[in-house]
Every structure is written in C-alpha cells, then in structure tokens.
Amino acid sequence: MAKRRANGEGNIRKRKDGRWEGRYTAGYHPESGKRIIKNVLGRTQAEVKEKLKEAIAEGQRLDISKAGNYTVASWVRTWYEVYAEPRIRPNTREYYTNYIENHIVPGIGKSMLDKLTTIQIQRFYNNLQKNGRVQRKGYPELKDKTLSPRVVRGVHTLLSNCLDQAVAERLILVNPAQGCKLPKLEKKEMRILPQEKIGMYLAEAERRGLLAAFYLELTTGLRRGELLALLWTDLDAEARTISVTKQVNRIKGELVVSPPKTQNSVRTLAIPQQAVNLLIEEHKRHPDNPYMFPSPKTGTMYDPDAFRRTHDKILKAIGAEHVRFHDMRHLFATLSLKNGVDVKTLSGALGHYSAGFTLNTYTHATAQMKQDAADTIGAVISSQM
C-alpha cells in the first residue's frame, strides 16, 4: 500500500513490475484548479525517496503550471513580442526577426523549452557557422553557406537573453546557453581611403554637387544615417556646431527616422569654419527644404543606399580601391588620432560609449602614438644623463 505523505510531499509505492514509484503534487492548473500530479521511478525505495525529494525541490523553483507549455519557437516569439520589440530601435527589429525566424526557429524551435540542453544549443551554433547562411528567393544559389562569427554571436546574444527571461519566469531552472563556446570574431584589417586621395575624392564630390555632405562626413565621422537625417535646424552656424539627435534607415522598403544607435550617439559636434561656410552655400541652393542634404532626384530625405552608391561611384571615378562608406568614419578617427586629438574627445565625437572602446577599435592608429610617447620620454631621460 502507498505510503502517504503530507500534501505536496508525495507518496511512494511499489509497482507490479517491481519498480518503485513516487508521486507528488507539482502544482495546480491555472484554469481548472485541479492538481498537477507528476511521478518519479526507481529500482529501490531509497532511490525513489531521493528522486522525489529532488523533484519536489525543483517543482518549488519552477512554475509548473507554465513550465512545460512552451516550445523554443513559441517562447522566443513571446519574448520578442513582450520584452524585446517595444524596447529596441526599428532597424534592430530586422536583425532580431531574422535571427529568430531564419535561424533559431528552424534550428531548435521544435524542442521543448524545459528540455533544451547546452549540447543541443552548441550543436545548433556549430551548424549555423558551417551551413547557416539563408538562401534568398530569386537570388543565385549560394556557393558559400557559412555564417560569420559576428552573426552566430548575435544569435547567441538574443537566445541567451531570451532564456534568461525564461529563468526569471521560472520556466527553466538555468540558462543552457551560458555554457556554450562561441566562434572568435574575425579581426579584419581596417581599410581607409589613402590620405593622398582625399583631395581627389572631395573634388569629385563637388563635381556631383555634394561637396558639403562629403566634407562634413570627413570632418565629423558621422554615421551615414546620422548624416542624412540632419535638418537645417540642427546647425548652429554661429557656435559652429551640429546637433546629432536622429538617424535614418531603410526598413522594409521605407525610410524610417529613429533615435541614434545609442544614448551616447546623441551629441553636439564642433565643426570647422570651412564646413560652416560650405553648409551656408549649400543652404542657398535649397533654402525652403528642411533637409540639410536632400535627394537631388526627389528633394526629400536622401536614401542611405543611394548615397552609398554615390560614394562607390566617386571612388571608381578617382581610381581608388573600394572602401565602405562607413570606413570614411574610420578615416576621420585615424587622422584625428595621428594629428594629436585626445582619445576621450574623439570618443565623444564618434558617439562611442567609452574611450576604451575607441582605443581598442583604432589600435592601428594609436600604435604610432604610443611609440612617439615612448620616444618623447626616452629623449627626456636621455637628456639628463
């Protein structure tokens, strides 16, 4: 006969097949109010006692009424809708939905959330790295299906945050993604426009009627979306400053203006007098247009993709090797460091969250500065010998 225990502690009995079984009340159904009964099995009474003790302790830490109700797919979609989407920028939403719908759901979405293991996630990451690139409809068949370490790590960050919330809601006991090994980020050599090509670059920009925009980029290091979102009201010609408070991105075919990348990206930049002069001349060309750099075709906000293509055409016209438009931001930073601008000031101008991040990003430029500093102190000491 079953050995009775207090409510919630369970009872133990020997089954006809010779095994011992322990049953316990794991909780109550949120709608019907009926008890949720679970069991453990073992070869001996002592073994079942221990298992029963562990199961009851685990049940007290989990919300049993919800813990077994989610697959990974249903939970990650719920998490995105409730916790992530309301708090992220519009262009970040595209990254998140891509990670969820093109990678996480097809890869591990059918698994039950409370059964997900570290090994399972690790295999998922390994497969993403080897075969994770998605074949887009209407495009040539992919020859290389590997996924970059940056994207794999992005998927991990999203999944780990999602599983942290599941722990907080007592759906799982621990986050199984925490023990996974991630691919190392590839440290690509930074490519920038050679200094001797800057004059040619700006001359070609002037020929296309875009000197003010490209000159301002080279003297501020603005992100493309920040540059093209500027309004005339953002310019203080007397103080020689530009206020950066927004950015523009193309999302699902539409131009969307949103806050900058981070809170640190909301900033006021000092600009040289030559930039002010060029902007004043630019304003005379379209005085009634609120946009600082409107599209020459539509007169509305300049499409970031079209602006990038213009940059590419300028490089081709002057016979320069291709560098991304974003690398013009790197050119500004590199020239600033090499010409004595201190790292903290540069970090603020770039909208970085810390001077340490700026230093790490531009180690190629700061290496010479370190050598110059060493030579300077060496000369001071040597002069005293």
Side-chain angles (χ1 to χ4, degrees):
M1 187 170 177
K3 182 179 179 183
R4 295 289 174 184
R5 292 173 180 253
N7 184 37
E9 293 185 6
N11 60 72
I12 297 175
R13 69 184 181 91
K14 191 168 186 179
R15 293 164 35 128
K16 291 181 179 179
D17 62 7
R19 290 183 298 172
W20 289 83
E21 178 185 31
R23 292 188 177 189
Y24 64 100
T25 301
Y28 295 87
H29 195 279
E31 295 180 3
S32 66
K34 292 182 178 180
R35 290 193 303 164
I36 299 172
I37 304 297
K38 294 204 170 189
N39 74 327
V40 295
L41 297 172
R43 290 178 295 178
T44 65
Q45 186 177 18
E47 181 185 352
V48 168
K49 279 184 180 180
E50 188 60 33
K51 284 185 176 181
L52 193 60
K53 181 180 177 182
E54 292 174 1
I56 291 171
E58 179 177 308
Q60 290 171 344
R61 286 181 285 165
L62 290 178
D63 184 342
I64 299 299
S65 66
K66 296 187 296 182
N69 293 345
Y70 289 99
T71 61
V72 172
S74 62
W75 173 247
V76 73
R77 285 169 174 154
T78 298
W79 169 83
Y80 173 75
E81 177 188 353
V82 176
Y83 295 102
E85 187 177 19
R87 294 166 177 80
I88 57 178
R89 294 175 296 120
N91 54 321
T92 304
R93 290 171 193 160
E94 280 204 300
Y95 285 105
Y96 275 40
T97 53
N98 171 49
Y99 292 164
I100 291 169
E101 301 301 334
N102 291 328
H103 299 304
I104 294 174
V105 170
I108 54 176
K110 293 181 180 179
S111 300
M112 296 305 298
L113 178 65
D114 59 348
K115 299 294 190 293
L116 191 64
T117 66
T118 302
I119 290 178
Q120 190 176 358
I121 297 173
Q122 185 67 62
R123 285 176 175 157
F124 165 58
Y125 291 162
N126 295 347
N127 186 59
L128 273 188
Q129 199 172 358
K130 293 178 182 177
N131 304 292
R133 188 170 297 182
V134 176
Q135 177 67 54
R136 296 169 65 185
K137 291 181 180 179
Y139 283 76
E141 186 175 351
L142 290 171
K143 294 181 180 179
D144 180 9
K145 294 186 178 182
T146 60
L147 206 58
S148 73
R150 180 186 63 81
V151 175
V152 176
R153 294 173 77 98
V155 171
H156 166 75
T157 298
L158 184 152
L159 181 61
S160 188
N161 288 341
C162 168
L163 295 175
D164 277 343
Q165 188 62 43
V167 173
E169 298 199 18
R170 297 168 58 212
L171 302 178
I172 54 177
L173 290 176
V174 294
N175 180 348
Q178 287 184 347
C180 291
K181 306 297 181 183
L182 302 177
K184 292 183 179 179
L185 286 175
E186 300 164 345
K187 190 76 172 180
K188 291 185 178 180
E189 185 179 350
M190 193 175 291
R191 297 176 61 189
I192 58 175
L193 183 70
Q195 191 168 340
E196 61 271 18
K197 293 277 188 180
I198 292 176
M200 299 169 63
Y201 181 87
L202 290 175
E204 184 63 23
E206 183 175 21
R207 192 181 72 78
R208 295 168 182 269
L210 292 167
L211 176 60
F214 285 97
Y215 185 91
L216 186 63
E217 172 59 29
L218 288 175
T219 54
T220 60
L222 286 167
R223 299 178 179 94
R224 180 179 42 167
E226 295 171 341
L227 178 73
L228 299 180
L230 288 174
L231 304 176
W232 288 115
T233 52
D234 296 320
L235 170 66
D236 186 331
E238 187 174 342
R240 294 190 297 169
T241 61
I242 288 281
S243 296
V244 182
T245 59
K246 53 197 169 300
Q247 64 177 359
V248 61
N249 291 283
R250 181 167 287 282
I251 300 173
K252 295 181 180 179
E254 300 292 331
L255 292 182
V256 177
V257 177
S258 61
K261 188 175 181 181
T262 65
Q263 188 57 44
N264 297 92
S265 298
V266 178
R267 59 204 189 278
T268 299
L269 299 178
I271 61 175
Q273 184 60 51
Q274 179 63 14
V276 174
N277 296 342
L278 288 172
L279 290 174
I280 290 173
E281 290 301 313
E282 179 71 17
H283 194 205
K284 291 177 182 178
R285 296 172 56 193
H286 38 84
D288 299 323
N289 197 311
Y291 300 113
M292 191 173 288
F293 305 117
S295 166
K297 291 185 178 180
T298 66
T300 57
M301 186 171 283
Y302 213 131
D303 184 329
D305 291 334
F307 195 76
R308 173 188 54 77
R309 288 193 293 270
T310 299
H311 159 78
D312 293 344
K313 290 174 183 176
I314 290 174
L315 292 176
K316 188 175 181 180
I318 66 174
E321 287 188 21
H322 181 265
V323 293
R324 302 170 306 162
F325 181 82
H326 190 75
D327 294 326
M328 308 310 281
R329 176 173 162 86
H330 296 325
L331 175 60
F332 160 76
T334 300
L335 292 177
S336 296
L337 288 170
K338 287 184 175 180
N339 286 278
V341 176
D342 69 274
V343 174
K344 188 173 182 179
T345 298
L346 176 61
S347 181
L350 292 170
H352 286 167
Y353 65 87
S354 72
F357 177 82
T358 305
L359 276 171
N360 185 56
T361 304
Y362 297 103
T363 50
H364 69 290
T366 56
Q368 186 59 49
M369 294 172 65
K370 292 175 182 176
Q371 187 60 57
D372 291 344
D375 291 343
T376 298
I377 193 64
V380 171
I381 299 301
S382 296
S383 68
Q384 305 301 313
M385 294 175 67

